[in-house]
Amino acid sequence: MTAKIYLEGGGDSKDLHILCRQGGFRQLMESAGFSGGKMPRLVSCGGRDAVYEDFKTAHQQNSTDYIAMLIDSEDPVDDLERTWDHLGKRDHWEQPDGSDDQQVLFMATCMETWILSDRVTLRQHYGHDLQESALSPLENLEQRNRHEVQENLKHATRNCSNAYQKGKRSFEVLGKLDPPATLETHLEAFRRMKRILNEKMQ
């Protein structure tokens, strides 16, 4: 079975869509063990609503492939196996007919949560000017408010020449992460995504 994943990220910029898909998420997927025939097709859509609309269209037109969307959960998730319940309560999104919870993959609560989980890569990427003590603790990272996570990352890198910001710089560091060593250790949502993709792409 082939897989297609609709990604949140890239805004309205064509160049950022390419960087999001190829420079950030593709490299991350390769590092997580998805390469060659196991690499899902990645489609950068921009904002959350655009991802949802593109996903719905693709789901309605598809009957054989695995179609999913990878989005920020925005808020902590009560049950990662009931993803549509979370989206229904938070975003008032209706679950498309015939879709299931495994077609929603979360970056809980945001992409910065994934980035914060890899302290080794952060040290290597930002250098000695990184204020690591300002980063959110690794404990219960996926239950932390996204604004806290994002602002702490910005604050910790404020003195770095490549200080964190959404867009090009965020995708650059995303593509350098080491999933087996960090994301799979600290993040349940990442482990779930990898398990589902491995099952669907056998």
Side-chain angles (χ1 to χ4, degrees), residues 18 22 39 114 119 121 124 126 143 148 156 164 171 176 187:
I18 294 172
Q22 297 181 355
M39 173 62 72
W114 288 18
R119 301 300 165 90
T121 294
Q124 294 172 343
Y126 289 107
Q143 295 300 310
E148 171 201 332
Y164 184 84
F171 298 134
K176 294 181 179 181
L187 306 177

Side-chain angles (χ1 to χ4, degrees), residues 133-147:
S133 62
L135 298 171
S136 300
L138 290 172
E139 292 77 19
N140 298 315
L141 189 55
E142 290 178 304
Q143 295 300 310
R144 298 187 183 279
N145 182 282
R146 71 184 186 280
H147 299 298

Side-chain angles (χ1 to χ4, degrees), residues 35 50 78 80 83 86 94 105 148 156 164 182 197:
S35 59
D78 293 331
L80 277 172
T83 53
H86 178 83
E94 293 186 5
L105 309 173
E148 171 201 332
Y164 184 84
T182 55
L197 288 177

